[in-house]
Amino acid sequence: MALEREKHVAERALLTMDEGQLLDLYRRMFLIRRFEDKTAEMYSRGKITGFCHLYAGEEAVAVGAIAALYDKDYVISTYREHGHCLAKGASPRGVMAELFGKSTGISRGRGGSMHLFEPNLRFMGGYAIVGGGLPLAAGLGLSIVYKEEPEVVCCFFGDGALPQGAFHESLNLASLWKLPVIFICENNFYGMGTMVQNAICQEDLYRFAEPYKMPGVRVDGMDVLEVYRATTEAATHAREGEGPSLIEAVTYRFRGHSMSDPAEYRSRREERIWQERDPIKSLRRKLLHDGRATEPRLDEIEQEVAAVIDDAVKFAEESPEPALDEIGKHVYVDEG
């Protein structure tokens, strides 16, 4: 097995972060997990409808990567974007209200689960088309270069996007023009129900960086510190004008492809093995073992997060539905 980055890389990241930063990583991951568990509950109760793809199990990728960025850096996601949006700083109230289709939602109730968007946070959207965010990331990168700005673009996508022509076109242009884009492939082994080795000829997905002359690395996507370190290096590379990087984060979604997927194509043994590597529990053990946190402090964080998510649900339930006379607004550029 080729998790090619050595674990001491993540250990160095642990040593260079103070207690506040480490607890923030824990808080953000637990926030996403609690949010997704509550979303599943609300979906089962019929409060949330439509397509809904949960991020539980993959929290270390979003939190580790986005923690390595600056506030003004851009993030582009997929239709499994609740975690990325929350990690970028979006309000749980606004995201939950969006899932409920309420007017107070982050996209005013028009986007639902797959189309969260918050330009003030430079979270530039989740996209329902597989690989749809890749060319947009290249476009944002070109804009940054054109305007000589210091930002970078972090583009998340799943392993199912690699056979898409847009993946290859985007990496080619990003490398050709040295665009400041960090491409992060969240390899959770399944494109819907199809195993990655049945869909992609190159199982070492990070090696797709080679023909496009950019750095490529595979990291343990269940280790938030390893993802953080790899993204920090890629961001530095981009800010120095050296162009894009490709990070393959090996991870695992704990639920099916969507809320309608029972995931019967996966063995229960496989699921248990990966659940034992739960990124939140792993970080908790690491913090306690190294004396960087105490059980009462971590328990306190979990209780605080639980209250935040309960408040988000209450806010969403009590928020108004979008008004009928607002339906035509915010579809095209505002003439005013």
Side-chain angles (χ1 to χ4, degrees):
M1 185 175 177
L3 280 178
E4 313 237 332
R5 295 180 59 82
E6 298 179 7
K7 282 294 179 183
H8 74 267
V9 170
E11 294 302 322
R12 287 205 307 271
L14 177 64
L15 292 173
T16 57
M17 300 181 86
D18 62 33
E19 180 179 325
Q21 290 172 306
L22 292 168
L23 291 178
D24 186 60
L25 294 179
Y26 188 80
R27 179 183 289 104
R28 288 173 185 250
M29 285 203 294
F30 192 78
L31 176 74
I32 294 170
R33 177 68 59 80
R34 186 79 178 193
F35 185 96
E36 296 295 62
D37 288 346
K38 185 63 70 170
T39 295
E41 178 188 337
M42 294 298 106
Y43 192 95
S44 298
R45 292 172 55 188
K47 300 284 187 176
I48 298 171
T49 59
F51 292 105
C52 187
H53 308 80
L54 301 183
Y55 198 64
E58 303 184 32
E59 296 90 352
V61 184
V63 172
I66 291 172
L69 303 177
Y70 298 157
D71 288 346
K72 289 188 176 181
D73 289 334
Y74 296 92
V75 169
I76 287 185
S77 185
T78 67
Y79 48 71
R80 195 184 306 281
E81 88 275 42
H82 307 164
H84 305 112
C85 191
L86 290 168
K88 195 67 169 76
S91 160
R93 279 185 162 196
V95 179
M96 187 64 76
E98 184 61 34
L99 302 189
F100 275 60
K102 298 299 184 69
S103 62
T104 55
I106 197 170
S107 297
R108 298 184 176 89
R110 290 165 168 76
S113 173
M114 296 194 291
H115 301 286
L116 304 175
F117 192 83
E118 180 46 89
N120 293 327
L121 294 172
R122 297 202 167 179
F123 181 79
M124 307 310 288
Y127 295 90
I129 297 175
V130 174
L134 287 156
L136 297 176
L140 279 169
L142 180 59
S143 172
I144 290 169
V145 170
Y146 184 79
K147 292 185 286 187
E148 299 182 346
E149 293 177 338
E151 288 80 20
V152 303
V153 183
C154 186
C155 179
F156 295 93
F157 54 96
D159 51 275
L162 271 71
Q164 294 281 355
F167 170 78
H168 301 276
E169 293 167 355
S170 300
L171 265 67
N172 179 61
L173 285 177
S175 182
L176 183 66
W177 294 336
K178 289 190 178 297
L179 304 180
V181 182
I182 306 168
F183 295 102
I184 300 184
C185 174
E186 298 179 307
N187 180 7
N188 60 29
F189 302 110
Y190 295 93
M192 296 186 72
T194 302
M195 293 185 69
V196 64
Q197 56 262 47
N198 294 333
I200 303 173
C201 63
Q202 171 60 270
E203 292 185 34
D204 297 328
L205 304 186
Y206 71 98
R207 293 191 183 278
F208 277 104
E210 295 175 8
Y212 298 110
K213 297 183 178 180
M214 68 177 68
V217 65
R218 173 183 282 175
V219 301
D220 182 358
M222 306 299 270
D223 187 330
V224 67
L225 296 171
E226 193 168 337
V227 177
Y228 170 82
R229 182 73 181 193
T231 309
T232 298
E233 293 174 358
T236 299
H237 181 82
R239 292 189 212 282
E240 291 176 349
E242 297 300 319
S245 301
L246 173 63
I247 298 172
E248 176 193 357
V250 180
T251 185
Y252 199 80
R253 52 175 163 80
F254 286 173
R255 294 179 178 267
H257 170 71
S258 68
M259 282 298 296
S260 61
D261 174 22
E264 294 178 351
Y265 44 84
R266 306 192 308 196
S267 71
R268 296 297 170 257
R269 179 176 180 273
E270 175 185 307
E271 291 180 342
R272 283 196 303 272
I273 289 171
W274 281 95
Q275 286 167 356
E276 288 172 2
R277 300 187 58 214
D278 186 315
I280 299 172
K281 293 178 180 178
S282 295
L283 181 60
R284 185 184 182 101
R285 287 194 296 267
K286 190 186 297 284
L287 295 176
L288 293 173
H289 178 269
D290 294 344
R292 307 299 295 275
T294 63
E295 287 273 9
R297 182 68 184 106
L298 295 176
D299 290 343
E300 181 184 3
I301 288 172
E302 294 183 5
Q303 292 168 7
E304 291 170 356
V305 166
V308 167
I309 300 305
D310 288 344
D311 171 74
V313 172
K314 184 174 185 292
F315 174 79
E317 288 184 317
E318 294 176 352
S319 292
E321 301 282 346
L324 289 177
D325 59 4
E326 294 281 315
I327 288 178
K329 295 183 179 180
H330 312 294
V331 178
Y332 299 103
V333 175
D334 188 355
E335 297 85 355

